[in-house]
Amino acid sequence: MPKGYVIARVTVTNPEAYAEYAKGATEAIKQYGGRPLVRGGAYEALEGEARARNVVIEFDSVEQARTYYYSPEYQAAKAKREGACVAEFVLVEGA
């Protein structure tokens, strides 16, 4: 079964509110078996618009990643980032 990856590209506009989101999201990631592979760090724009915060979280399956994203725990965390960032989140099936 292919792994599932949640990939986020984020520009933080309210660091305090985003930090509260990150606390809750981190707990939900652990609870649902996610493994952060990339979380911030140095980046280089090779093409297109880059965002300062890039995150890749690996799950054992696409379904597990989906369960995490739509879980009550993650949705509660997600509510805390409303207005705190501009972001794109995608769920990708691994090779």
Side-chain angles (χ1 to χ4, degrees):
M1 175 181 321
K3 294 189 182 222
Y5 297 88
V6 173
I7 301 171
R9 298 177 345 104
V10 183
T11 299
V12 177
T13 57
N14 181 333
E16 294 81 20
Y18 192 84
E20 289 303 310
Y21 154 74
K23 287 179 195 174
T26 297
E27 290 304 313
I29 290 165
K30 290 177 190 174
Q31 183 175 345
Y32 288 91
R35 293 168 299 284
L37 303 179
V38 175
R39 204 174 220 178
Y43 69 94
E44 178 180 347
L46 299 176
E47 290 187 39
E49 180 182 349
R51 297 208 180 269
R53 183 157 182 83
N54 299 282
V55 179
V56 178
I57 306 165
E58 179 182 68
F59 291 87
D60 287 338
S61 68
V62 169
E63 190 53 42
Q64 187 179 8
R66 189 177 290 116
T67 298
Y68 150 77
Y69 184 83
Y70 290 108
S71 71
E73 296 83 3
Y74 181 72
Q75 291 299 307
K78 180 178 175 242
K80 293 178 181 176
R81 73 172 161 83
E82 294 297 320
C85 66
V86 176
E88 296 89 30
F89 282 70
V90 295
L91 172 55
V92 180
E93 181 180 86

